[in-house]
Amino acid sequence: MGEGIKTNCIGCIACSILTVAVVIISVAAIIDGYHEVVEGHVGVYFRFGALQEGITEPGVHMRQAFVTRTRHVLIRPEEERIQNLEAITKDGIEITFQGIGVLSRTRKDKVVGLIKKFGMDFKKVLIYDRIREDLRIFCAKQTIDQVYNEQFLEIVEAVKKDVEEQIIRLGDGGVEILNLVIPKPDIPQDIALNYKQVKVQWTEQLVAKQQKITEEIKKETELLKAVADARRQKEVLEIKIQERIIETEGQRNISEINNQIVRDKQNNLADIAKYAKDKEAAGNTALYSPEYVKLQVAQSLTNNTKFFFSGQDSVLGGLLSKILANKK
């Protein structure tokens, strides 16, 4: 009986241990399977080291415990700096580009394919290494002056275009370059000093040219001002002359009007005098008729008591003869 009790105790202990082990394993499996994918990333899964096809969006997810591992892949825009990129120009000058800025983004639907083909560091292969390679090739085809001055603004466009073509060809367009910034390279000190001297001379020439342009503008402004003043004076003079002409015409019109008034007045006076004389003559003609004259002579003779005749040929005799003859 004692041995049976002992056997039961051992069995209970074994069951308890098994139960505890199962619980521990279950908790461990839950803990291991539970994971989060942070915002701006997607989750990719490796089961027994093999990349799985699916991806997960940001949030809380469960995976097969102990045999599956999760990696996060950034899909929002990411900026990277490429330091100390050395290149050699066509004329054998060594230059160094510092702080090349690359802003890129990964397409979510291409993540699994990119990792299968290029690994987790696919951006380094498709973007950063390609930029290094294309920039070195560009510099090798150009002289130091072309790289540093003449064609510097063309570098970004040329490199970016070639890298994008390679991304499409090699990576099926899985990543895209949003922006590329390539600063001016560091060049040897003696060449930089020569460029500085050239720039100083160019600046002096620019200042001289600008001064010449300023002087020309100043002279042109003075000329325009003089022309404007002359035109203004001419217009003022024309206005004054026009005023004088108008004033003279006005005075002449006034004088003509006054003269016309005087003429009209004189004509009226002459007409009045002529009319009076005509009336007076007409009145005299009617008044001094032959009968009236004879009557007046007869009355005058009756007033005299004495008459002296010196013959018919005298003045008085002749006058009487005419009067009496007319009467007959």
Side-chain angles (χ1 to χ4, degrees):
M1 183 177 179
E3 291 178 357
I5 294 174
K6 185 177 181 180
T7 301
N8 290 334
C9 289
I10 293 173
C12 290
I13 293 172
C15 289
S16 298
I17 293 173
L18 181 60
T19 301
V20 171
V22 170
V23 171
I24 291 174
I25 293 172
S26 299
V27 172
I30 293 173
I31 293 174
D32 185 70
Y34 176 86
H35 65 283
E36 292 183 355
V37 178
V38 297
E39 187 64 41
H41 296 72
V42 293
V44 295
Y45 299 91
F46 292 86
R47 184 174 300 163
F48 298 108
L51 179 63
Q52 304 300 300
E53 290 295 331
I55 61 173
T56 53
E57 300 286 346
V60 178
H61 302 278
M62 294 296 295
R63 66 189 174 205
Q64 189 174 351
F66 308 123
V67 296
T68 303
R69 292 291 176 263
T70 303
R71 297 290 298 272
H72 293 172
V73 178
L74 182 65
I75 58 172
R76 63 185 169 193
E78 177 186 18
E79 185 176 14
E80 181 71 17
R81 293 286 177 178
I82 302 176
Q83 302 292 343
N84 300 325
L85 195 158
E86 296 178 354
I88 298 177
T89 61
K90 183 179 179 180
D91 45 3
I93 306 300
E94 184 176 348
I95 58 178
T96 303
F97 292 90
Q98 300 286 354
I100 298 175
V102 185
L103 183 65
S104 62
R105 179 173 58 191
T106 303
R107 289 180 55 182
K108 182 169 57 176
D109 58 327
K110 301 290 184 179
V111 169
V112 175
L114 291 174
I115 295 174
K116 283 184 177 181
K117 195 171 183 179
F118 302 104
M120 291 298 298
D121 204 6
F122 54 84
K123 279 191 177 181
K124 178 179 181 301
V125 178
L126 288 175
I127 298 180
Y128 310 134
D129 289 348
R130 298 288 71 75
I131 290 176
R132 290 176 179 271
E133 177 184 1
D134 286 342
L135 188 52
R136 288 192 177 103
I137 292 174
F138 181 90
C139 293
K141 294 179 180 180
Q142 313 297 331
T143 64
I144 180 65
D145 189 59
Q146 290 173 328
V147 173
Y148 195 74
N149 277 326
E150 295 180 3
Q151 299 182 14
F152 173 73
L153 296 178
E154 301 175 10
I155 296 177
V156 171
E157 182 179 356
V159 173
K160 185 173 182 289
K161 180 180 179 182
D162 190 70
V163 172
E164 287 175 340
E165 290 177 354
Q166 294 189 61
I167 289 173
I168 294 174
R169 179 171 57 86
L170 300 175
D172 194 24
V175 290
E176 52 184 335
I177 299 175
L178 301 178
N179 191 39
L180 176 62
V181 178
I182 300 178
K184 275 204 169 186
D186 296 334
I187 60 178
Q189 187 174 0
D190 53 345
I191 297 178
L193 181 60
N194 292 335
Y195 274 113
K196 183 178 180 181
Q197 292 175 352
V198 171
K199 186 62 69 175
V200 170
Q201 294 175 0
W202 176 81
T203 304
E204 292 175 352
Q205 293 174 0
L206 185 63
V207 171
K209 182 179 179 180
Q210 189 62 38
Q211 288 177 347
K212 181 180 178 181
I213 294 174
T214 303
E215 290 296 328
E216 292 178 353
I217 294 175
K218 184 178 179 180
K219 291 180 181 179
E220 185 176 355
T221 302
E222 292 176 353
L223 177 60
L224 292 175
K225 183 179 179 182
V227 171
D229 292 340
R231 186 180 294 111
R232 191 181 304 109
Q233 292 176 358
K234 179 183 176 182
E235 292 175 354
V236 172
L237 182 60
E238 289 178 351
I239 293 174
K240 289 183 177 180
I241 292 174
Q242 189 67 27
E243 289 178 350
R244 291 177 183 176
I245 292 173
I246 294 174
E247 182 180 359
T248 303
E249 290 180 352
Q251 292 176 353
R252 185 177 61 188
N253 292 334
I254 293 173
S255 177
E256 290 179 355
I257 292 172
N258 291 332
N259 293 336
Q260 185 64 36
I261 292 173
V262 172
R263 285 195 298 269
D264 293 343
K265 183 177 180 181
Q266 291 176 350
N267 290 334
N268 289 334
L269 293 175
D271 292 341
I272 293 172
K274 182 177 181 296
Y275 179 78
K277 289 181 179 179
D278 291 342
K279 286 295 183 179
E280 183 180 359
N284 290 333
T285 302
L287 179 63
Y288 295 105
S289 62
E291 293 76 10
Y292 179 78
V293 171
K294 292 177 181 180
L295 177 63
Q296 292 296 322
V297 170
Q299 290 178 353
S300 298
L301 291 176
T302 57
N303 292 328
N304 293 323
T305 57
K306 294 180 178 182
F307 293 96
F308 297 93
F309 297 93
S310 56
Q312 189 177 356
D313 296 331
S314 64
V315 176
L316 181 60
L319 177 62
L320 292 174
S321 295
K322 290 181 180 180
I323 295 172
L324 294 175
N326 291 332
K327 184 176 181 183
K328 290 178 181 181

